[in-house]
Amino acid sequence: MADLLLGQTLSFSADPFAEGAGAARHERQGAVLIEDGRIADLGPADRLRAAHPRARVTDYGAALISAGFVDAHMHYPQTAIIASWGKRLIDWLNSYTFPEEMRFADPAYARAVAARAFDLTLANGTTTLCSYATIHPESVEAFFTEAEVRGLRALAGKTCMDRDTAPEGLRDTAQSAYDDSKRLLETWHGRGRLGYVITPRFSPTSTPDQLSALGALWAEHPDCLMQTHLSEQLDEIAWVKSLYPTARDYLDTYEAHGLLGPGGLYGHAIHLTSREKARLAEVDASLIHCPTSNTFIGSGLFDMAGLTATGHRVGLATDTGGGSSFSMLRTMAAAYEIGQLRGHALHPAELWWLATQGSARALRLDDKIGNLAKGMEADLAVIDLASTPAIEQAAARAETIWEAIFPTIMMGDDRAIRAVWVGGTPVAKGQA
Ligand code: GUN
Ligand code: ZN
């Protein structure tokens, strides 16, 4: 049976960074028709009600119906160590992250944390994750199994580390990384709504041999995405320079091994040289901005205004557990704050686009998810724009949709998520 959802609707006909806030389409009394897991129609409530009299109606009143959020870079295995105190990147990895990731040799633990990560992110309105797993193939199996149970579109890959900069017990080899990644890719890539992502963690924890092996795997499977980290902290960049003395820059450590291309997702990308920026634009790679992580770990201020002006493909992400929140609302707020610190106020339309269609575009899934449009998969978040007394009183003064949304962007959390739909089915409360 078809479902007709009533509420305010927000969709995009273009990229607001290129076209301005007019790229957003807002319907105050709108409706979304869902049939067979997809959006079958979208428009004014009156027209859709008349056209689809037999559809089952769910009326969300003044709540905002949006595409579900897309988190383009996160580490589900770091769910339990979110908000760990006092370290910068390399110490944070050694003190908190690597010890926790060792636990994922246990498939039962991996399943339990994957389930928890999906429950937490769904409760925050996030319907697609692009996650790193750990070096253990079991951790990838756990992620995809839990995603499949929930019917989610989801992406992940086995994190590869073969250098002695990673601790004993958390290392693979160039060959085993290639073999395990290939086997997992063949099992999971394109199965239902799942996608495999080739995942060298970052240059400092891989040997050139491993980077080459994964570059070769990517060349054999160019329809897969490849994710890694790039230029997150200055200490990290100096470390890369010492480990790869002949590389022109950090990006070159990937480029020289076949790991630079259009399906490449480069997390953080804060301290880029002009050569790196030019190459990333030239190949149309994706830069993934992780603002709560960048402030929490003290990494730096991503140049959103500059990089979008030069046409770079940018997505938005939590980077949990380096990021300090599972919420893409909180993540939009942090992106706004970083923009302000760089002297540029991001428009709410730009922030919302980044958290939905922009991230989907960065993951090259924008023809499937991240927007309300006919034919798109029906992954939706329904947002209460008055979810707390503080938000309610600020939004009460709004004269435009953007003034109504912005208090929720800045102060909203999981309490603002009224409902979530995945593949055309409502996620039960309590389950999300
Ligand atoms: N660089 C390499 N690994 C990681 C990670 O797990 N988190 C973050 N924030 N940066 C990284
Ligand atoms: Zn990361």
Side-chain angles (χ1 to χ4, degrees), residues 75 78 89 92-93 97 201-202 229 232 268 293 297 319 322:
H75 300 255
Q78 298 170 15
L89 178 61
W92 175 83
L93 286 170
T97 311
R201 180 175 215 121
F202 65 158
H229 296 86
E232 180 177 0
H268 305 288
S293 170
I297 312 187
D319 191 36

Side-chain angles (χ1 to χ4, degrees), residues 59-347:
D59 189 348
Y60 288 116
L64 183 76
I65 305 172
S66 161
F69 299 128
V70 177
D71 186 345
H73 176 131
M74 64 92 72
H75 300 255
Y76 96 80
Q78 298 170 15
T79 294
I81 57 140
I82 191 169
S84 292
W85 184 82
K87 305 285 184 198
R88 293 175 68 85
L89 178 61
I90 298 162
D91 288 344
W92 175 83
L93 286 170
N94 288 318
S95 307
Y96 298 120
T97 311
F98 291 155
E100 175 64 13
E101 291 193 8
M102 298 231 189
R103 300 182 64 177
F104 286 71
D106 173 2
Y109 187 68
R111 271 297 282 275
V113 177
R116 199 189 312 160
F118 283 120
D119 290 347
L120 288 166
T121 51
L122 276 167
N124 279 289
T126 300
T127 47
T128 288
L129 300 178
C130 181
S131 182
Y132 288 62
T134 64
I135 67 143
H136 313 95
E138 297 82 354
S139 71
V140 180
E141 305 275 355
F143 178 89
F144 282 134
T145 303
E146 289 296 328
E148 195 167 56
V149 165
R150 289 165 176 76
L152 291 161
R153 182 165 282 288
L155 299 160
K158 180 196 119 68
T159 295
C160 300
M161 301 197 277
D162 71 332
R163 208 166 179 136
D164 61 7
T165 44
E168 177 81 49
L170 214 51
R171 287 201 294 265
D172 49 18
T173 67
Q175 189 64 46
S176 75
Y178 175 91
D179 293 343
D180 287 342
S181 300
K182 186 176 167 69
R183 188 172 43 75
L184 289 163
L185 185 163
E186 284 167 355
T187 306
W188 294 102
H189 188 62
R191 172 162 150 174
R193 297 214 286 160
L194 307 176
Y196 190 82
V197 189
I198 296 165
T199 307
R201 180 175 215 121
F202 65 158
S203 296
T205 47
S206 288
T207 61
D209 277 355
Q210 179 169 76
L211 296 179
S212 288
L214 295 173
L217 183 63
W218 197 19
E220 290 157 26
H221 298 276
D223 57 320
C224 280
L225 299 171
M226 187 289 303
Q227 63 184 348
T228 191
H229 296 86
L230 176 68
S231 295
E232 180 177 0
Q233 289 209 343
L234 296 175
D235 289 357
E236 172 208 15
I237 295 169
W239 194 24
V240 170
K241 200 168 177 49
S242 72
L243 294 170
Y244 295 83
T246 61
R248 288 172 289 180
D249 47 41
Y250 195 159
L251 185 66
D252 199 29
T253 64
Y254 298 126
E255 191 170 358
H257 298 99
L259 293 170
L260 176 64
L265 313 172
Y266 301 88
H268 305 288
I270 299 169
H271 310 283
L272 299 175
T273 65
S274 35
R275 190 202 82 88
E276 289 173 310
K277 285 183 213 170
R279 280 299 285 146
L280 287 160
E282 201 168 38
V283 306
D284 196 19
S286 298
L287 311 182
I288 312 298
H289 179 33
C290 307
T292 72
S293 170
N294 298 162
T295 52
F296 183 74
I297 312 187
S299 301
L301 306 178
F302 182 83
D303 182 14
M304 182 67 77
L307 292 164
T308 51
T310 44
H312 285 81
R313 194 178 276 257
V314 179
L316 188 66
T318 63
D319 191 36
T320 47
S324 56
S325 174
F326 294 96
S327 166
M328 289 299 282
L329 292 170
R330 175 74 199 102
T331 303
M332 285 184 241
Y336 178 80
E337 289 162 350
I338 287 178
Q340 284 285 59
L341 287 169
R342 293 197 66 121
H344 179 82
L346 285 164
H347 191 279

